[in-house]
Each structure stands twice: as C-alpha cells, then as structure tokens.
C-alpha cells in the first residue's frame, strides 16, 4: 500500500493543504508565503526523500508564527497518518550532520508517543526576517503531531542560517532512517505488538 497522506488544515489564522509520500524522492512544491521556511522545507524533502507538497495561506501581516506552527502540525499529522500502524518500519533513526562550522545530532523514535528535547540555541533573534525561535517551535509542533520522540542537539555552531539548515537536514535524515522499511521484519516494532 502507498504510504501517502493529505492534511487539509483550516483555522482562523491559516489555511494549509499538505501532502506527503513517504516513499518518494524529495519532490513536490512548497509555498508557505515565507521564503526562509520554504527553503527549510525544501531541505527537509530533499534529505528525507519524502515527497512534500505545501500550499499555505496565513496571517503573515501579523507575523510568521501561526503559519510556521500550523505547517509543523500538518506535516507531523500527515507523516503519522502515512505511517499507519507503523508495521515493518525501522522505528528509530539518528543522524549527526556537519555543515560548515555547525554540527547537529537528531534522534527520533517514531513509536507513537510524544517527547521533545531541543538543545540547539540560535543566538541571533532573526534569520533574515524570520524569527529564529520558530525553528524550535516548528519541530515541537511536528513532534507532537507525528507522535514521535525527537531529540535535537547542537554540538557547536555560530551562524544562524547554518544552524537552522543543519537542524532541518539532520532531522530529515533521522526521520528518513526511522521510516524506512525493515528488510528483516514486517512486524510492528514493539514487544507490545502495538504502537
């Protein structure tokens, strides 16, 4: 069965249509109205090999917060739906990614429960016009709705743009590992028999 899902999220602040194909090649189009976020979503798709289409309209006259948050919610929800009962996946993934002066480790358990630990501070308050604190908030929103444990650690780094890229790339690679089909088992990866 194809591991695909579409989420149509309509609120008083945003209107988002988002679709994923977990067995894609990183294709799709991202149109959030926020150039920096589109760049990060492009990186996520490329490094996770998840086909990702995002069409979002939000209250950008206020700021980027609601649109960024709701895309994180929609992406987490879509991946959760596409995984189904999670039978036959590796479940766990981790990746340490170097990018210029930055080094970030991301680790994920797609086990159906939410936990979030984020230790990747960005000293600059802005990346262009984008509030840098929204990088963490995006991933918190994602993890809560993907029903996963997500741990992100910045070992070192200075440039705000580089840190954000490193976080998105390393997390994409960790997720890619966790959602891969296990060549040795098609069972639910838990002694409980359910996730």
């Amino acid at each position: 069965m194809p591991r695909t899902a579409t989420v149509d999220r309509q609120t008083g602040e945003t209107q988002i249509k988002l679709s994923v194909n977990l067995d894609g090649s990183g294709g799709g189009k991202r149109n959030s109205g926020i150039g920096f976020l589109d760049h990060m979503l492009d990186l996520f798709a490329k490094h996770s090999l998840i086909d990702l289409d995002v069409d979002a309209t939000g209250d950008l006259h206020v700021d980027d917060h609601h649109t960024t948050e709701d895309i994180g919610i929609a992406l987490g929800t879509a991946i959760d739906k596409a995984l189904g009962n999670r039978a036959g996946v590796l479940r766990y993934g981790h990746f340490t990614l170097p990018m210029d002066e930055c080094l970030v480790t991301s680790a994920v358990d797609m086990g159906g429960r939410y936990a979030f630990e984020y230790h990747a501070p960005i000293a600059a308050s802005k990346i262009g016009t984008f509030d840098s604190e929204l990088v963490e908030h995006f991933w918190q929103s994602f993890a809560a709705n993907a029903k996963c444990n997500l741990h992100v650690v910045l070992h070192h780094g200075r440039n705000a743009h580089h840190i954000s890229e490193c976080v998105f790339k390393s997390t994409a690679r960790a997720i890619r590992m966790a959602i891969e089909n296990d060549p040795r088992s098609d069972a639910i990866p838990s002694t409980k028999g359910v996730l």
Side-chain angles (χ1 to χ4, degrees):
M1 289 182 59
R3 299 191 302 165
T4 61
T6 297
V7 171
D8 193 354
R9 180 177 171 82
Q10 306 286 326
T11 75
E13 298 163 340
T14 63
Q15 297 81 47
I16 296 167
K17 185 167 185 180
L18 183 150
S19 63
V20 297
N21 175 0
L22 302 188
D23 300 306
S25 60
K29 295 182 180 178
R30 277 63 69 175
N31 180 23
S32 68
I34 305 168
F36 182 77
L37 181 59
D38 288 344
H39 177 40
M40 295 300 106
L41 294 172
D42 289 344
L43 297 174
F44 173 81
K46 177 71 173 179
H47 289 276
S48 67
L49 294 182
I50 294 172
D51 289 345
L52 173 62
D53 283 302
V54 179
D55 190 18
T57 303
D59 56 356
L60 300 182
H61 63 284
V62 176
D63 65 10
D64 297 343
H65 184 102
H66 297 137
T67 302
T68 302
E69 176 182 50
D70 285 3
I71 290 173
I73 290 169
L75 179 59
T77 301
I79 289 178
D80 176 52
K81 286 173 62 175
L83 283 171
N85 68 1
R86 291 163 162 76
V89 300
L90 291 173
R91 177 177 169 179
Y92 300 100
H94 60 90
F95 204 86
T96 299
L97 189 132
M99 181 180 167
D100 297 331
E101 86 291 355
C102 297
L103 187 68
V104 170
T105 295
S106 297
V108 65
D109 171 10
M110 301 302 294
R113 292 188 306 275
Y114 165 67
F116 183 65
E117 290 291 334
Y118 189 90
H119 305 281
I122 299 174
S125 63
K126 295 277 191 181
I127 308 169
T129 60
F130 189 79
D131 291 331
S132 60
E133 67 184 9
L134 292 178
V135 175
E136 176 179 356
H137 192 56
F138 174 91
W139 286 113
Q140 184 275 325
S141 301
F142 167 86
N145 289 276
K147 300 174 188 166
C148 70
N149 295 179
L150 176 59
H151 296 248
V152 178
V153 177
L154 171 68
H155 301 285
H156 46 260
R158 294 177 301 278
N159 181 279
H161 191 120
H162 291 169
I163 293 170
S164 181
E165 281 202 16
C166 211
V167 167
F168 270 79
K169 288 177 180 178
S170 66
T171 305
R173 289 279 176 161
I175 291 168
R176 174 178 166 182
M177 182 186 295
I179 66 174
E180 286 289 323
N181 290 311
D182 188 335
R184 297 183 59 196
S185 175
D186 60 2
I188 291 173
S190 172
T191 54
K192 297 175 184 176
V194 64
L195 288 174

